[in-house]
Amino acid sequence: MSVTKNNENRTILPEPTIRRLPWYLSYVRMLDNLHVEYVSSTQISKELNVQSSQIAKDLSFLNIRGKTRIGYEVSSLVKELEDFLGFNKHHDAVVIGTGSLGTALMQDHGLENYGLNIVAGFDVRKEVIGKKIGDLPVYDVKELSSWQQEHKVSIAILTVSVDHAQEAASQAIASGVTALWNFTPYRIKAPSDVIIANTSIYAHLAIIYNRMHGHE
Amino acid sequence: MSVTKNNENRTILPEPTIRRLPWYLSYVRMLDNLHVEYVSSTQISKELNVQSSQIAKDLSFLNIRGKTRIGYEVSSLVKELEDFLGFNKHHDAVVIGTGSLGTALMQDHGLENYGLNIVAGFDVRKEVIGKKIGDLPVYDVKELSSWQQEHKVSIAILTVSVDHAQEAASQAIASGVTALWNFTPYRIKAPSDVIIANTSIYAHLAIIYNRMHGHE
């Protein structure tokens, strides 16, 4: 994945750190569910196969300190990680393209645990416009701009087909969206202040195949 | 995403290159559909915002050469990219965890364009075992090992909940799977010869939030 964002005003966390923090979170959430009280960076290190010095460094960005010989308080660490990662806040989002992936995301209530609140879907296909997916309405993508005047959602999830990716992205940006979560393999062009996260699942497939074909 | 794989015997393509190749492919596929005959690296560069020297370097791994002043033949470039990325081959896969994401992947016929052929789903929930998703059967995950003796599928797609990720991965590996496409935020432990591709969509959300909160 890659994120592009011009930002002169603040320090932005290194991407590798942000990628590791959710691993720590999913592990300490499990410990918390098991009522474990403390966890050391050595223990996290063994479990996740990340060097403990790296873990201590990553966690130093948070507003939490471990105690000597005891480690981090698990419940506080869960909360700090959730706060820091933004998973405790509600971020409203729309899905553009309600095909199988878009539909799945709209039905995935697990995303709410990660602060994502999908409020509507948009599509071009007459047969789905006006219908519902789960509890969520599906609108004509032509209505996105007028709908946004009331809702002012900041995140658009792009799950259209690749040949509609740029068009859908441009419509979303024109409607006031500031962040695009792009699931298409298309490389979106956008003004530099728009945040773009590319989740290119096909690239991951290519990497798997490349590694596999080495020992066929 | 990250891929871990011990491999002493061959050169493995740099991950950034493998990540860019599907961008080129999706672009040249579109040109091919529009019956465009030739494309230069400069043109790809402008469209995808990647330096043309980088594009030339990436494409030098392929069995294709551009012609001076004309560029690459589009249809040949599509074919070479598909071959190289493994998207032209059929790779059989199983989905473990037929929740909303697993179901979406099983219904996404678009994945076939990228060489992925999902043949069955596995789950622990009695209410889905024995049912079908699209045309594909859903079996009890306990049957995975015996099912694999006949089918010998090499890729398992992990779409279970995070607290079942390691257990499901271990079962898949024990059954003979050699590559795991892990959609959970859990960091799987596996022998070093198992290929693991982590598609951690939650990490991407965290990156979006981190960038967004800078200008709230």
Side-chain angles (χ1 to χ4, degrees):
Chain A
M1 89 143 284
S2 65
V3 160
T4 44
K5 169 83 178 77
N6 272 7
N7 200 312
E8 296 83 7
N9 305 321
R10 65 189 287 266
T11 317
I12 277 194
L13 216 62
E15 225 180 275
T17 295
I18 306 186
R19 284 196 221 176
R20 282 186 297 265
L21 292 178
W23 296 345
Y24 307 156
L25 176 59
S26 70
Y27 175 57
V28 295
R29 269 182 180 167
M30 278 195 279
L31 294 181
D32 198 32
N33 287 339
L34 299 168
H35 309 292
V36 174
E37 281 190 67
Y38 288 93
V39 64
S40 65
S41 50
T42 315
Q43 202 178 331
I44 302 177
S45 168
K46 276 186 195 151
E47 182 66 22
L48 302 183
N49 201 20
V50 176
Q51 295 220 335
S52 64
S53 59
Q54 181 67 66
I55 293 169
K57 198 177 162 191
D58 289 342
L59 295 181
S60 73
F61 288 105
L62 308 186
N63 191 20
I64 193 170
R65 294 290 165 268
K67 289 180 195 165
T68 319
R69 277 196 296 271
I70 301 180
Y72 301 91
E73 198 184 14
V74 170
S75 59
S76 306
L77 188 50
V78 169
K79 198 187 166 302
E80 284 299 326
L81 279 165
E82 287 179 342
D83 283 352
F84 190 83
L85 289 166
F87 293 164
N88 271 345
K89 290 191 185 173
H90 270 280
H91 300 86
D92 287 344
V94 294
V95 164
I96 306 185
T98 62
S100 59
L101 182 59
T103 297
L105 293 173
M106 289 172 75
Q107 291 179 330
D108 184 358
H109 296 294
L111 286 169
E112 289 165 16
N113 292 328
Y114 294 89
L116 193 73
N117 185 37
I118 299 174
V119 295
F122 288 85
D123 209 306
V124 294
R125 292 170 301 149
K126 283 193 181 121
E127 62 270 29
V128 294
I129 293 167
K131 299 270 169 62
K132 290 211 165 192
I133 292 174
D135 297 333
L136 303 176
V138 179
Y139 301 114
D140 191 327
V141 76
K142 284 182 196 153
E143 294 168 31
L144 179 58
S145 273
S146 56
W147 183 89
Q148 269 283 73
Q149 288 178 14
E150 191 183 336
H151 294 84
K152 301 193 193 325
V153 163
S154 48
I155 302 174
I157 303 170
L158 286 188
T159 44
V160 295
S161 62
V162 60
D163 48 329
H164 291 99
Q166 183 61 54
E167 189 188 352
S170 300
Q171 284 176 303
I173 294 163
S175 82
V177 157
T178 57
L180 297 172
W181 193 5
N182 175 29
F183 279 89
T184 80
Y186 192 77
R187 194 155 154 86
I188 302 293
K189 280 176 280 191
S192 62
D193 60 341
V194 173
I195 300 158
I196 300 180
N198 294 303
T199 299
S200 179
I201 67 172
Y202 307 112
H204 296 187
L205 270 180
I207 293 175
I208 293 176
Y209 299 159
N210 182 255
R211 268 56 177 167
M212 282 174 71
H213 293 166
H215 54 106
E216 260 181 356
Chain B
M1 90 145 282
S2 63
V3 161
T4 44
K5 169 86 178 74
N6 272 6
N7 199 313
E8 295 84 7
N9 306 322
R10 66 189 286 268
T11 317
I12 277 193
L13 216 62
E15 226 181 275
T17 296
I18 305 185
R19 284 196 220 176
R20 283 187 297 266
L21 293 177
W23 296 344
Y24 308 155
L25 176 58
S26 70
Y27 176 57
V28 296
R29 270 182 180 166
M30 278 195 280
L31 295 181
D32 198 33
N33 287 339
L34 298 168
H35 308 292
V36 174
E37 280 190 68
Y38 288 93
V39 63
S40 65
S41 50
T42 316
Q43 202 178 333
I44 303 177
S45 169
K46 278 188 193 151
E47 182 67 20
L48 302 183
N49 199 21
V50 175
Q51 294 218 336
S52 64
S53 58
Q54 181 67 65
I55 292 168
K57 198 177 163 193
D58 289 342
L59 294 181
S60 73
F61 289 103
L62 307 187
N63 192 19
I64 192 170
R65 294 289 166 269
K67 288 181 196 163
T68 317
R69 279 195 295 270
I70 301 181
Y72 301 91
E73 199 185 13
V74 170
S75 59
S76 306
L77 187 50
V78 168
K79 199 187 166 301
E80 284 297 327
L81 279 166
E82 287 179 341
D83 282 352
F84 190 82
L85 289 167
F87 293 164
N88 270 346
K89 291 191 185 172
H90 269 281
H91 301 85
D92 287 343
V94 294
V95 164
I96 307 186
T98 62
S100 59
L101 181 58
T103 298
L105 294 172
M106 289 172 75
Q107 290 179 331
D108 184 358
H109 296 294
L111 286 169
E112 288 164 17
N113 291 328
Y114 295 88
L116 192 72
N117 184 37
I118 299 175
V119 295
F122 288 85
D123 208 304
V124 293
R125 293 170 301 148
K126 283 192 182 122
E127 62 270 30
V128 294
I129 292 168
K131 301 272 170 59
K132 290 210 166 191
I133 293 175
D135 296 332
L136 303 176
V138 179
Y139 301 114
D140 191 328
V141 75
K142 283 183 196 152
E143 295 168 31
L144 179 58
S145 273
S146 55
W147 184 89
Q148 270 281 75
Q149 288 178 15
E150 190 182 337
H151 295 84
K152 299 193 194 322
V153 164
S154 49
I155 301 174
I157 302 170
L158 285 188
T159 44
V160 295
S161 62
V162 59
D163 47 329
H164 292 99
Q166 182 63 53
E167 189 189 349
S170 299
Q171 284 176 304
I173 294 163
S175 82
V177 157
T178 57
L180 296 172
W181 192 5
N182 175 29
F183 279 89
T184 80
Y186 193 78
R187 194 153 155 85
I188 302 292
K189 281 174 281 191
S192 62
D193 60 341
V194 173
I195 300 158
I196 301 180
N198 293 305
T199 299
S200 179
I201 68 173
Y202 306 111
H204 296 188
L205 269 180
I207 292 174
I208 293 177
Y209 299 159
N210 182 254
R211 268 55 175 167
M212 283 175 70
H213 294 164
H215 55 103
E216 260 179 355

